[in-house]
Amino acid sequence: ATALYDEAISTAEQYSYFWVAGLAADRCAEMYLGLKQQRLAEPYLKLAYGFYQTYGATGKLQQLVANHPDVFSKTSHSQTGAAVNRTIHGRITQPEGQTYQHGDVLDVTAMTRAAQAISGSIRIDELLSKLLAILRQTAGGNRCVLLLPMTEGSESRWHVVAQSIDSDKPSIMLQVPYQDSPYICSTICEYVMRSRLPLVLGDPIQEGAYTQNEYIRKRPQSILCMPIVSRNTPVALIYLENRTSTHAFTSERIELISTLGSQAAISIENALLYAGMERQVEERTARLNEKTREVRSILQNIELGIFTIGMSSDGSKIVMDQEHSVYLKAILEMDDPGGKELLDILKRTSLGEDQQAGIVSAVNAMMGEDPLARDINEHFLLREFQLVFAEGRIKVIEVDWGFIYSDSHILQKILVSLRDVTKLRALQMEVEAHKEELEIIGHVLDITLPRFRLFADRANQYLQENRKILARRSPSKDLVNVLYRNLHTLKGLCRNYKMMRLADLVHKAEETLSAVREAPDARWDFDKMEADLNPIESILFKYSDVTIRKLGFNVHETGPSDGLETVAGLTAALRESLPSMAQSLGKKAPLIHIEGGHILLNTENSELMEGVLTHCLRNSIDHGIEAPEDRAKAGKDEVGKINVVVEEEPESYLVRIRD
């Protein structure tokens, strides 16, 4: 039971619950008195008296003295502080056999006021100043130094943080390593740091273990060094010196310092915690202010229209916040866009009403919701649109949408960034046009200028003939066959000259005619048939225009070199196109043998011969030469052959093709 009482007393004292410690000591004394062991009860009665006295329980003090007059008898109290140098669990106690009397009781009122002054200080500088003043007034030292452990990197080192030296003005908020201070004996401080026990030297020059210490030779008359401990960890050291009197630190003064130290431990921890929090707040405020300045600087200088949108106060509409970048006014050409509805901005664009409503609805659906709502609706938010102004002027605006969520993952705001890319898009179009022109020039030069002139002339003839037929608006089977044949032949010519983009457009137009050919009762969509010719003519015009402007070659005039061409020269382009044609049909490119390649053709006959050979060679590959597996089954070579024989007759040319 005694061990448990001792543990209760020690723990209560550690956390400054002096009334609990006094009660535990009182009850332990009652236990020994009940067992008729007066000698064992007396130390606990005195201990209880000390704790009640510290707490200010005057009624309990009077009760103890009245109930135990034999213990608290009046005796002289002349023994000096030199004899007070024993501790129990780190507590300074009276010398053995010493008794208390009413005159020995510390001034409870003064002590209470001092404790209240200490506990009422939350700032570390104010606390250190008050603690210095109280110690100078009550402890009996003319030098008072306070030390605190301070973190340096990953280590904690002791520093002198406050001092009152002789009659000098107190100094606080110092950061002097204790070894460098000229006002303390560092060896004594190190002992107290290690042992966590107070040390009193009544006459350090004449007695004790430090008489040969270099600092002691400076003749301090009395020294008291006491740790302020919280949760078994020193949080501060009190170092006191009296330079004029030996044995200056009496038991009453030591008890007072010990009592004040208990309160100071709590106050120092709270003040350091507050200082740390205050420092963190200052650092965060400084960082926040710096970020705010950076953001404001960005909003002032960045050439982007930046703003946030959110729900209006009544939740009825999506509005822009008042804060926005300065450049937003220049982009929108509005004096004060802040506070405007999102729909007001969208109405200034080329977007249709349905698209405008879709964007507003999507934003409404996302606001106040989790990221899933954004995933569902984000595709409605356009990344580029055009601003249209009254005089017809247009700005191309690139849009970026950023989503601002709360800690609970609820969308609160959308950060919108507008970038004027009008000049950039114009430049991109120029680059693309220039790139396309270079491709056209390279293609025309590969074909050769005379042959391109021939191709362009024939292509325009086919297209003009088709337009004349379609303009009649007279559907017939014969006419659709003519229309189809013209496009089919043109497609073959395009493939021969590797103009695949043009060939694809011709093929698309050809499919419209195929639907009519295969279903005689189908309705003729003349408008679509004519519209199908537009992109074909557009590309042909572009090719011809680039050839004239960049190469200085007029495709609309017949030059002196256009008179005659051999059959061999005419079929050269056909030979190059056969591999891709065969591959598209799932066959191997055939071998071609031409007889009569030396025969010369004039322009008119050259055009006719090219059309005939293009059509017939494609039919041979498509319908005449078998697939590789069928040829293998029939015992034929994997690669087929096509023999072309051209003979010149008086009024015509005879062409024989055998595959």
Side-chain angles (χ1 to χ4, degrees), residues 125-143:
D125 54 346
E126 181 183 345
L127 174 63
L128 294 176
S129 180
K130 288 183 177 180
L131 192 56
L132 275 179
I134 292 170
L135 290 172
R136 284 294 299 267
Q137 293 171 5
T138 61
N142 45 29
R143 286 190 177 185

Side-chain angles (χ1 to χ4, degrees), residues 331-573:
I331 290 180
L332 299 178
E333 299 185 18
M334 297 174 65
D335 292 335
D336 187 14
K340 297 289 185 183
E341 282 191 57
L342 175 62
L343 188 58
D344 291 339
I345 305 301
L346 296 177
K347 286 179 179 178
R348 300 165 64 90
T349 70
S350 60
L351 301 175
E353 291 184 1
D354 185 62
Q355 284 181 298
Q356 296 174 22
I359 293 174
V360 174
S361 296
V363 174
N364 265 310
M366 290 187 284
M367 281 296 174
E369 300 294 335
D370 60 20
L372 178 61
R374 181 197 66 194
D375 296 341
I376 295 172
N377 294 280
E378 189 176 2
H379 67 280
F380 288 104
L381 305 181
L382 298 182
R383 298 295 172 175
E384 188 170 297
F385 57 72
Q386 292 181 343
L387 282 172
V388 182
F389 298 92
E391 64 275 21
R393 192 164 40 87
I394 290 176
K395 286 183 181 179
V396 182
I397 304 299
E398 189 176 71
V399 191
D400 186 54
W401 308 82
F403 303 94
I404 303 172
Y405 285 90
S406 66
D407 293 339
S408 56
H409 306 292
I410 297 300
L411 183 63
Q412 294 180 320
K413 300 280 185 181
I414 296 180
L415 178 68
V416 184
S417 174
L418 303 183
R419 181 185 177 203
D420 187 349
V421 294
T422 306
K423 293 181 180 179
L424 177 62
R425 292 293 180 265
L427 182 61
Q428 287 175 339
M429 290 178 66
E430 284 185 29
V431 171
E432 289 298 322
H434 185 63
K435 180 180 176 182
E436 186 179 26
E437 285 186 352
L438 291 176
E439 291 176 352
I440 290 173
I441 291 170
H443 200 173
V444 169
L445 292 177
D446 285 343
I447 296 172
T448 73
L449 291 171
R451 292 186 67 78
F452 174 72
R453 174 188 286 166
L454 180 63
F455 164 78
D457 185 56
R458 292 186 60 192
N460 282 319
Q461 287 179 16
Y462 290 136
L463 293 172
Q464 288 172 12
E465 184 178 1
N466 278 22
R467 282 204 178 276
K468 289 178 181 179
I469 294 172
L470 293 171
R472 298 173 193 169
R473 295 295 196 267
S474 301
S476 73
K477 183 177 181 180
D478 292 337
L479 289 178
V480 77
N481 287 336
V482 174
L483 293 169
Y484 182 83
R485 184 174 65 247
N486 286 343
L487 291 181
H488 192 68
T489 303
L490 177 57
K491 183 172 70 173
L493 290 173
C494 293
R495 287 174 173 170
N496 288 344
Y497 292 111
K498 298 181 181 178
M499 302 179 73
M500 303 314 297
R501 181 182 171 195
L502 192 57
D504 290 341
L505 293 173
V506 175
H507 179 74
K508 182 179 178 182
E510 190 183 52
E511 285 183 333
T512 303
L513 296 172
S514 295
V516 176
R517 289 183 70 203
E518 295 170 2
D521 297 333
R523 185 180 69 86
W524 282 48
D525 190 344
F526 289 102
D527 292 337
K528 186 176 187 316
M529 292 176 183
E530 289 177 331
D532 286 343
L533 301 180
N534 292 337
I536 302 171
E537 292 173 333
S538 176
I539 292 181
L540 276 174
F541 174 80
K542 190 174 291 185
Y543 264 77
S544 299
D545 179 65
V546 171
T547 304
I548 294 170
R549 286 189 299 103
K550 299 297 183 181
L551 299 177
F553 185 81
N554 194 338
V555 297
H556 305 302
E557 296 179 357
T558 302
S561 62
D562 293 341
L564 298 173
E565 185 173 13
T566 63
V567 171
L570 184 68
T571 56

Side-chain angles (χ1 to χ4, degrees), residues 247-260:
H247 306 295
F249 303 112
T250 63
S251 59
E252 292 89 346
R253 288 174 174 173
I254 295 171
E255 186 69 25
L256 173 61
I257 296 171
S258 177
T259 302
L260 293 177

